[in-house]
Amino acid sequence: MKGLKEVFHLSPGCEVSIEVNPETIYPNYAHGLQGLGINRISLGVQSFDPEVLRQLGRGHDVEQSIRSFQFLRRAGFDNINIDLIFGVPGQSLPGWQRTLESALALEPEHLSLYCLTIEKDLKFKTEQSYAGELDQVLGERYLVDEKTQMEMMQLSQALLEREGFQHYEISNFCLPGFQCQHNLTYWRRGEYLGFGAGAHSFLEGKRFSRIEDPKRFIAAVKAGQLPLS
């Protein structure tokens, strides 16, 4: 943040967002983030169902999610997003509704709801092998049938809109005035710069990325080279 402020002029009130996991948030750290000038938090809760968290191999439990949200509130954050995942094997429609209701009880300003997809490096706990068990759809593996996925999203839309949330982007819901600015930038094909290993950018109609491996990235910078992949 210090480096960015030295190089760029940041508009007053600009969105400064960070993603965090519940198990990493403690009062001192939450206040430290506030002190850096960060004003939007995205909290990777994923679920308020202990069994779903176990299935996903997450490093936190439900109580940690609630505590971390409260720590962030007490630190002064008034723009908090909660990430949730649906379409997890064994997850029921009533179970998904309970997770949504638990999230709403914390009174976040924003919710991001993602349907589970399996990536090659995702830690996913299941007794069955992938082979023969997963449907291949558009090159991605989905573990719950489309009908159930649709019902979960329709439930989400109805419940959140009733609570005053706007469905402003495919996976994102917010209270009025809390649209995520970087989400909107992507959808509007706006320009953005990414810094650090593996960061992506879109500038003057071109997309490019940085070297992913941190050691190679640092070596390139020290050698006076642009660390582009």
Side-chain angles (χ1 to χ4, degrees):
M1 288 302 300
K2 181 181 177 183
L4 288 172
K5 290 176 181 177
E6 289 175 350
V7 177
F8 296 98
H9 170 71
L10 302 183
S11 301
C14 69
E15 179 183 283
V16 186
S17 184
I18 189 171
E19 294 186 4
V20 298
N21 289 322
E23 65 269 28
T24 68
I25 298 299
Y26 293 93
N28 287 346
Y29 183 52
H31 284 284
L33 294 176
Q34 181 76 229
L36 285 175
I38 292 167
N39 56 26
R40 182 180 185 274
I41 298 286
S42 184
L43 187 61
V45 172
Q46 314 311 347
S47 180
F48 287 96
D49 184 325
E51 177 57 26
V52 171
L53 289 175
R54 188 194 69 80
Q55 283 272 72
L56 294 172
R58 303 299 298 182
H60 63 272
D61 57 28
V62 173
E63 289 73 22
Q64 282 178 308
S65 292
I66 295 171
R67 273 201 311 272
S68 63
F69 189 95
Q70 293 169 341
F71 290 153
L72 292 166
R73 274 286 190 249
R74 291 169 190 162
F77 288 100
D78 58 7
N79 188 357
I80 304 178
N81 168 66
I82 292 179
D83 273 350
L84 297 174
I85 293 178
F86 65 94
V88 180
Q91 185 182 41
S92 66
L93 203 58
W96 173 238
Q97 180 171 341
R98 286 193 294 272
T99 275
L100 289 173
E101 290 171 344
S102 295
L104 288 170
L106 293 174
E107 300 184 350
E109 287 71 33
H110 192 286
L111 287 168
S112 293
L113 313 180
Y114 300 108
C115 187
L116 176 68
T117 61
I118 294 297
E119 306 292 346
K120 62 181 180 180
D121 58 349
L122 176 65
K123 180 184 178 184
F124 186 78
K125 296 183 177 180
T126 178
E127 295 177 357
Q128 299 178 340
S129 67
Y130 295 153
E133 298 295 336
L134 306 178
D135 294 326
Q136 193 77 16
V137 181
L138 299 177
E140 295 181 316
R141 288 166 171 175
Y142 289 87
L143 295 174
V144 171
D145 63 273
E146 288 186 358
K147 181 176 182 293
T148 304
Q149 291 176 29
M150 182 181 67
E151 290 174 346
M152 287 181 168
M153 180 50 79
Q154 288 175 336
L155 171 65
S156 305
Q157 290 171 321
L159 180 58
L160 296 183
E161 287 175 6
R162 189 169 69 235
E163 295 297 321
F165 282 74
Q166 301 171 344
H167 190 186
Y168 73 98
E169 183 268 342
I170 291 176
S171 301
N172 292 288
F173 298 77
C174 71
L175 295 176
F178 287 94
Q179 292 90 342
C180 176
Q181 295 306 303
H182 70 254
N183 283 349
L184 293 177
T185 296
Y186 298 149
W187 282 97
R188 292 168 177 168
R189 206 167 179 265
E191 294 183 333
Y192 53 91
L193 283 174
F195 302 96
H200 288 246
S201 303
F202 179 56
L203 192 64
E204 296 180 349
K206 296 181 180 179
R207 300 186 188 278
F208 54 94
S209 61
R210 313 281 175 176
I211 295 171
E212 290 190 7
D213 180 77
K215 291 183 179 179
R216 288 182 54 229
F217 178 92
I218 293 170
V221 172
K222 286 183 175 180
Q225 303 169 354
L226 282 175
L228 300 179
S229 60

